[in-house]
Amino acid sequence: MGSSTSKPAESSQQQPPQPVSACPVQHETPKTSSEIPDGCPVKHSGQPQQPVQYNVYSQPIDPNNQAPIGIANQLPSPQQKEHLSAKREPSSIQKGGTDNSTWTYPSPQQFYNALARKNKLGDTTEDEIETVVALHNNMNEGTWEKLLEWEELQYPSTENVKNMVRTQTKLLKFMGRPSDLSPKAAFKHYILGHPLPFDRHDWTIIRPDGTQITYVIDYYHDESRASTSDWEELPDKSDREAVKSILVDVRPCVFALENIWQRGVTMPLSRRGFSSQESKFEPLPLFPTRELKDQVEESEETWQNIQAAAEATQKELQLGAINSNATVSAESPTVPEPVPEPQISDREAIALARAFAATLKECAPIQKDMILSCNKADDGECAQASLALTMCMGKNLCKVQHEAVGSCVNDAAGGEEIQNAKIDAALENLAMCVGMTHERVDIAQRQHPDVFADN
């Protein structure tokens, strides 16, 4: 349920970049659903209330369809070139705040949109997303299995109790913290020479008795254990042996004496058969193998990339806050850092030149009508003509987004209001795609003027 395609003071529950050891939100009862905060979703005082349901990206979801609140989460992104499945797969993980529901994993389309929204696509292409989602689901099912092995130590070792733990323990909230190094991971790396993790999660669960507890999970990659089947075949989410290259370190957060005792005494004794509560839990070794030692430098490079991405995201948020909340004076203007111009290959430049020339030819009459309409005083007629031109250009330049508009027009599920919102979102994505393609054509024309001279 995490989300990262790059490799990569433990606290109880937080979302980067706000490391705190307690729930970071006020605990007054919100008056309306729109006022419910993004942080801790459970009221901590007064009468108990139904916890807000979150997806694996800590986004509030609609409990009726388990979909993130937002219309465009299943629509193609503006930069997308290929169709992606919108089918979602249920997990085996019980969902906090519900009676018997389980979490539902994001569809390949939702996963792609999340990566695109966070600028984490990198060089990941659409044809790789389905495999990435399958690996993601398998990783999380394995994490949950290890977590339940910890939870079984809380109760007498009987089959009925184990069944209760596995059916009534629920995941309330998930937080990905890839840019935060846990104390254990820091100790393993800086003292013992272990590679750095490529991701970190904090999972808050609800036990059968209602107690909440947070688990810290570090994910490591061992290239020496990888096989070509990890990427060539889609692993079954419940197959624990399908992806051996992903190493998972699951343990209770140390901010409770009970958890410290469980980590330092109860689990070691149970694993060695010195307790009535025997456990098959297999922890990751503290000391790295020879193969892992050879991967330290690569893990450090990955970690630096993760930190750079987090800093870039933080700068974007800060700049957005400045632009929206502050008046910039002439003496201290805020100037965004220049973005390097992307390099267009000869092959892509030729494809862009041909596609754009064909589009201009086909849409020339519509463009002429738009110019005439917009020269008049009728804004409505101008808007309609502009939409017609966008649809015409998108037909050739942005086929996936263009087809999504048609699908939304023909999909009346949810009523007229939902349908209109979907159409608006699909049209916005189409317009953005056309604009992005036009910008790329301009860049290609500057870098490859000879190619465009021939078209």
Side-chain angles (χ1 to χ4, degrees):
M1 293 174 296
S3 82
S4 177
T5 58
S6 61
K7 296 180 190 176
E10 299 186 8
S11 56
S12 58
Q13 41 181 316
Q14 67 267 32
Q15 186 168 1
Q18 29 183 342
V20 293
S21 59
C23 182
V25 299
Q26 297 178 353
H27 293 155
E28 293 86 6
T29 306
K31 294 180 175 60
T32 65
S33 60
S34 63
E35 296 174 5
I36 294 174
D38 291 335
C40 180
V42 181
K43 183 179 179 183
H44 289 245
S45 61
Q47 295 298 319
Q49 68 177 34
Q50 183 83 344
V52 179
Q53 297 179 28
Y54 287 81
N55 71 359
V56 294
Y57 301 106
S58 295
Q59 298 169 324
I61 62 173
D62 183 347
N64 295 319
N65 56 17
Q66 300 182 356
I69 297 175
I71 296 299
N73 66 83
Q74 288 278 37
L75 295 175
S77 292
Q79 68 270 48
Q80 191 172 324
K81 301 299 182 184
E82 303 291 338
H83 289 282
L84 290 171
S85 171
K87 182 179 179 181
R88 307 180 67 193
E89 183 177 7
S91 75
S92 67
I93 304 173
Q94 295 289 321
K95 181 189 298 183
T98 67
D99 292 331
N100 298 307
S101 298
T102 61
W103 288 88
T104 304
Y105 289 121
S107 67
Q109 183 64 69
Q110 288 175 311
F111 202 99
Y112 182 92
N113 288 347
L115 294 178
R117 185 176 60 253
K118 299 176 183 178
N119 294 320
K120 292 184 178 180
L121 275 174
D123 56 359
T124 305
T125 59
E126 287 94 326
D127 57 0
E128 296 172 334
I129 288 295
E130 187 175 1
T131 301
V132 171
V133 170
L135 290 170
H136 158 274
N137 297 352
N138 178 278
M139 183 177 74
N140 284 288
E141 292 289 325
T143 300
W144 185 246
E145 179 66 25
K146 287 182 174 292
L147 187 152
L148 290 178
E149 290 175 358
W150 277 99
E151 285 299 297
E152 287 174 349
L153 297 182
Q154 299 295 317
Y155 307 93
S157 183
T158 65
E159 288 301 319
N160 289 338
V161 170
K162 286 185 177 180
N163 182 65
M164 176 195 70
V165 170
R166 291 181 173 272
T167 57
Q168 297 183 29
T169 303
K170 300 182 179 183
L171 176 61
L172 175 65
K173 187 176 181 181
F174 158 98
M175 279 166 283
R177 301 178 58 192
S179 61
D180 294 336
L181 195 61
S182 69
K184 183 178 180 180
F187 175 82
K188 290 175 67 173
H189 176 68
Y190 294 110
I191 305 300
L192 305 180
H194 196 285
L196 289 163
F198 68 83
D199 202 0
R200 170 186 169 177
H201 292 176
D202 286 4
W203 290 15
T204 300
I205 67 165
I206 302 178
R207 287 174 171 165
D209 62 1
T211 304
Q212 292 186 33
I213 179 175
T214 296
Y215 277 81
V216 178
I217 305 119
D218 289 318
Y219 294 95
Y220 298 87
H221 183 262
D222 185 356
E223 188 66 34
S224 67
R225 295 164 58 93
S227 65
T228 55
S229 62
D230 286 357
W231 288 92
E232 291 179 353
E233 300 178 6
L234 296 180
D236 184 88
K237 70 174 185 289
S238 59
D239 186 353
R240 300 282 71 81
E241 300 298 320
V243 186
K244 297 181 179 181
S245 60
I246 302 297
L247 309 179
V248 185
D249 188 358
V250 183
R251 69 275 187 194
C253 179
V254 296
F255 284 108
L257 291 177
E258 175 190 359
N259 297 347
I260 296 175
W261 180 263
Q262 189 176 18
R263 286 173 61 166
V265 179
T266 306
M267 178 58 83
L269 292 178
S270 298
R271 288 182 51 246
R272 291 168 174 80
F274 297 140
S275 170
S276 60
Q277 299 167 300
E278 294 187 6
S279 175
K280 297 180 180 179
F281 181 84
E282 295 183 8
L284 289 184
L286 275 176
F287 293 90
T289 62
R290 180 180 302 176
E291 291 79 10
L292 281 172
K293 287 183 178 180
D294 293 337
Q295 301 173 50
V296 170
E297 184 175 352
E298 181 181 358
S299 75
E300 291 174 340
E301 292 177 358
T302 300
W303 178 253
Q304 290 173 0
N305 292 336
I306 293 172
Q307 295 301 308
E311 290 176 3
T313 300
Q314 183 65 17
K315 286 182 179 179
E316 289 180 4
L317 293 174
Q318 292 174 348
L319 182 60
I322 291 173
N323 291 339
S324 60
N325 299 324
T327 301
V328 181
S329 65
E331 291 77 17
S332 58
T334 301
V335 180
E337 297 180 4
V339 179
E341 183 174 271
Q343 296 300 306
I344 308 294
S345 66
D346 291 341
R347 182 176 181 180
E348 184 183 357
I350 293 173
L352 284 170
R354 290 176 177 173
F356 202 65
T359 300
L360 289 178
K361 182 178 180 180
E362 180 179 344
C363 300
I366 300 177
Q367 184 180 26
K368 183 178 179 180
D369 291 341
M370 186 201 72
I371 294 173
L372 293 174
S373 298
C374 293
N375 285 335
K376 300 178 181 179
D378 191 339
D379 292 340
E381 186 177 342
C382 177
Q384 290 182 357
S386 298
L387 175 59
L389 180 60
T390 299
M391 291 293 293
C392 181
M393 298 188 71
K395 181 180 178 181
N396 293 326
L397 300 179
C398 303
K399 295 182 179 179
V400 173
Q401 292 75 12
H402 185 273
E403 291 175 7
V405 175
S407 297
C408 291
V409 170
N410 296 321
D411 181 11
E416 183 178 357
E417 184 176 354
I418 295 295
Q419 182 184 25
N420 289 337
K422 287 183 178 179
I423 293 173
D424 288 343
L427 285 171
E428 182 179 358
N429 285 350
L430 176 63
M432 291 176 63
C433 177
V434 171
M436 292 166 61
T437 305
H438 199 289
E439 290 178 3
R440 202 155 184 85
V441 168
D442 289 340
I443 296 172
Q445 194 167 13
R446 289 195 298 271
Q447 296 178 2
H448 304 274
D450 295 342
V451 170
F452 284 80
D454 297 335
N455 288 274

